[in-house]
Amino acid sequence: MNVAIVGTGYVGLVSGACFSEVGVNVTCVDIDRNKIERLRQGEIPIYEPGLSELVSRNVAAGRLHFATSLQEVLDNVEIVFCAVGTPPGEDGSADLSHVLAVASEFGSNIKKYTLFVTKSTVPVGTHKLVRATVEAELKKRGEENIPFEVASNPEFLKEGAAIKDFMSPDRVVIGIESERGRKLMEKLYRPFLLNNFRVMFMDLPSAEMTKYAANAMLATRISFMNEIANLCEKVGADVNSVRTAMGADVRIGGKFLYAGCGYGGSCFPKDVRALIRTGQEYGCAMQVISAVEEVNEKQKTVVYEKLAALFEGGVKGRRIALWGLAFKPETDDMRCAPALEVIRLLLENGAEVVVYDPVAMDECRHRIGNAVTYASDMYDAVVDADALALLTEWKEFRLPSWAVVAKTMKGVNIVDGRNIYQKSDLQPHGLCLYGIGRPNQTEK
Ligand SMILES: NC(=O)c1ccc[n+]([C@@H]2O[C@H](COP(=O)([O-])OP(=O)(O)OC[C@H]3O[C@@H](n4cnc5c(N)ncnc54)[C@H](O)[C@@H]3O)[C@@H](O)[C@H]2O)c1
């Protein structure tokens, strides 16, 4: 089979590489010429474990190609995936301009039946806009009879585990109307079916809605636990014990129940906002999910507040070390990362900030330049620091040498924004631990 994937970001590049791995002939298209040039040189523009090897292998096998325009490749493909970004617009709604630009290019150039599959996360009803855009282009050309179809195939991969998620997903959701389109999608996903996972066909609005509902549920669990954690602190309970016992109930399950310094990334914040916006458009207030967003915005400031409370007069003039910048481990993605909010508040309030992240240092430089100091490793970051805060639970931060930290730091306070440390490990070194929702940890 021959497919084109338009938008070569996290989703497009991973999808393209994975489809080519199972034998599909894939061309990844992007308007960013620099990105395509780097990919052609064998350079992977994002950090995603295993992606570099997967891309090189399939490029070498002649199954994975790169292009800067859809027009170049359209004649030879049966399916076009649209995996471009859908960033939030000013009012919180998803900005569909990139998706519709791709639909326009598709409509201006198709010559035969081709399936347009939206993989980007788009609000319910977007398939109608895509269809109308393609039809308008065909009409301009006087080619209204060229057949095409629109489908929805939202992506559920997680950055950091994207290849595994794509190769053996919990489910593949496909919104489609015709039997012809369904057969094409079945064929494309058949190699993955051998692994016995589920492909779920449904109508287009349901497929579009599923993606938002799934992300909103995950975000809800996080904000719910953060709220519980904040109350735990007040009443003297430990959220880690509460979480473990809650999660043991099979009706609840243990995943996504971790309290911390708030969710970030390129999906949850924008998808939550877009769902609230869709609710407003249809006169259906999304009260639960609006509260989820509000709680999360507040939670992103909790680590800063804990740091500020450590010193009389706040953080002014204090040297604060931060471990972790990416919004979660195994990615360099800092979109909406809690670290950005913590850094902003620290700088605004006069602190000196020293940061270290195993892979997101360049991304941070790119975003905030030299406003902070970049340490060469995790221990370098804590030299002379008045306090240390952990913001991303990378593996290398899980079991640090507290002896080294205690020796090199000026202060003794550690704020654990991800609840991964134990008081019993720090105490012998004279260090104090402040977790999220863990009141007893603050005793020396
Ligand atoms: N990142 C994730 O973990 C994830 C997971 C599931 C779904 N999604 C959704 O998938 C979509 C893409 O997300 P992403 O993180 O891969 O985005 P991204 O920003 O990493 O990549 C988008 C790419 O699209 C390109 N692009 C924009 N307009 C274009 C056009 N007209 N023609 C060709 N290329 C164009 C950009 O240059 C960019 O390289 C979004 O809707 C997102 O919500 C993302």
Side-chain angles (χ1 to χ4, degrees):
M1 284 184 95
N2 293 303
V3 310
I5 300 186
V6 189
T8 310
Y10 282 91
V11 168
L13 187 57
V14 170
S15 309
C18 291
F19 278 134
S20 64
E21 178 76 357
V22 298
V24 179
N25 193 30
V26 179
T27 305
C28 284
V29 180
D30 205 289
I31 41 167
D32 183 339
R33 289 179 175 276
N34 179 38
K35 189 180 264 189
I36 293 299
E37 199 39 51
R38 284 170 69 191
L39 282 161
R40 282 181 175 147
Q41 305 291 327
E43 207 186 310
I44 306 298
I46 51 168
Y47 175 82
E48 182 61 44
L51 187 58
S52 179
E53 298 79 355
L54 193 67
V55 169
S56 333
R57 185 162 64 239
N58 285 289
V59 167
R63 289 189 296 261
L64 182 58
H65 319 268
F66 300 101
T68 51
S69 98
L70 178 59
Q71 189 185 356
E72 285 171 41
V73 296
L74 205 45
D75 292 354
N76 301 318
V77 300
E78 296 148 274
I79 305 175
V80 171
F81 278 92
C82 176
V84 296
T86 45
E90 272 175 25
D91 59 358
S93 62
D95 175 356
L96 294 177
S97 58
H98 302 300
V99 171
L100 297 181
V102 179
S104 211
E105 195 178 353
F106 177 91
S108 317
N109 295 289
I110 45 166
K111 301 204 178 79
K112 54 163 181 51
Y113 172 87
T114 315
L115 181 60
F116 185 101
V117 184
T118 306
K119 210 171 224 331
S120 305
T121 303
V122 294
V124 183
T126 301
H127 63 278
K128 289 187 192 149
L129 290 176
V130 169
R131 192 181 293 134
T133 305
V134 178
E135 277 166 0
E137 291 301 332
L138 289 173
K139 196 165 175 207
K140 267 193 223 160
R141 293 162 56 193
E143 300 273 19
E144 289 103 315
N145 293 331
I146 297 179
F148 78 95
E149 198 183 350
V150 174
S152 164
N153 174 212
E155 183 50 57
F156 296 94
L157 62 76
K158 298 184 286 297
E159 286 175 25
I163 293 169
K164 186 182 153 289
D165 284 350
F166 197 93
M167 296 306 273
S168 30
D170 295 333
R171 76 303 206 191
V172 170
V173 170
I174 299 172
I176 197 133
E177 279 165 357
S178 80
E179 202 42 40
R180 182 178 188 174
R182 180 183 169 129
K183 284 210 170 103
L184 259 182
M185 291 301 276
E186 263 172 358
K187 187 173 163 196
L188 179 67
Y189 276 106
R190 199 172 301 140
F192 303 91
L193 262 175
L194 299 175
N195 292 338
N196 214 10
F197 71 83
R198 289 171 293 170
V199 179
M200 298 175 180
F201 287 96
M202 58 188 73
D203 58 80
L204 282 132
S206 302
E208 289 170 337
M209 190 66 180
T210 301
K211 174 67 190 176
Y212 281 100
N215 273 359
M217 172 56 92
L218 295 172
T220 301
R221 284 172 73 100
I222 295 172
S223 277
F224 177 82
M225 282 316 285
N226 282 334
E227 211 167 42
I228 293 287
N230 296 339
L231 186 58
C232 280
E233 275 182 34
K234 304 275 185 216
V235 301
D238 184 334
V239 75
N240 269 2
S241 307
V242 175
R243 168 182 63 76
T244 316
M246 270 175 72
D249 185 330
V250 288
R251 293 168 304 174
I252 296 173
K255 294 199 170 147
F256 272 79
L257 287 185
Y258 293 83
C261 49
Y263 62 74
S266 64
C267 294
F268 288 0
K270 91 173 164 58
D271 294 351
V272 160
R273 258 170 242 154
L275 190 56
I276 295 169
R277 183 78 194 131
T278 302
Q280 282 165 355
E281 268 168 38
Y282 287 82
C284 179
M286 304 300 284
Q287 287 166 283
V288 172
I289 201 68
S290 298
V292 165
E293 190 194 21
E294 209 180 303
V295 168
N296 191 58
E297 285 311 299
K298 203 159 137 251
Q299 198 67 19
K300 287 202 223 168
T301 67
V302 162
V303 166
Y304 164 74
E305 278 154 19
K306 284 179 187 286
L307 287 166
L310 293 173
F311 311 102
E312 225 172 275
V315 294
K316 194 168 176 15
R318 301 289 178 172
R319 186 175 167 92
I320 309 293
L322 300 180
W323 281 354
L325 295 165
F327 84 93
K328 66 174 185 179
E330 302 297 336
T331 179
D332 60 350
D333 199 339
M334 283 187 70
R335 288 179 275 188
C336 297
L340 289 171
E341 183 62 3
V342 176
I343 291 171
R344 185 185 70 77
L345 288 164
L346 286 170
L347 293 175
E348 254 177 37
N349 288 283
E352 183 195 346
V353 182
V354 189
V355 302
Y356 175 71
D357 185 285
V359 302
M361 300 287 263
D362 283 346
E363 181 60 20
C364 190
R365 269 193 203 96
H366 174 68
R367 284 174 177 272
I368 59 170
N370 290 328
V372 296
T373 304
Y374 296 89
S376 56
D377 61 45
M378 60 190 275
Y379 296 111
D380 180 36
V382 298
V383 175
D384 289 335
D386 290 294
L388 161 69
L390 173 96
L391 298 177
T392 318
E393 68 278 31
W394 283 95
K395 284 196 191 80
E396 72 174 78
F397 298 146
R398 302 255 171 120
L399 211 55
S401 166
W402 293 116
V404 174
V405 172
K407 217 165 120 189
T408 40
M409 259 177 81
K410 195 156 81 187
V412 293
N413 294 313
I414 315 291
V415 177
D416 177 4
R418 298 291 177 180
N419 281 349
I420 62 170
Y421 298 137
Q422 298 297 331
K423 180 181 141 189
S424 52
D425 289 341
L426 279 77
Q427 215 173 19
H429 304 282
L431 297 170
C432 298
L433 179 63
Y434 299 80
I436 309 282
R438 310 192 68 194
N440 298 327
Q441 304 290 304
T442 56
E443 291 160 18
K444 246 199 191 179

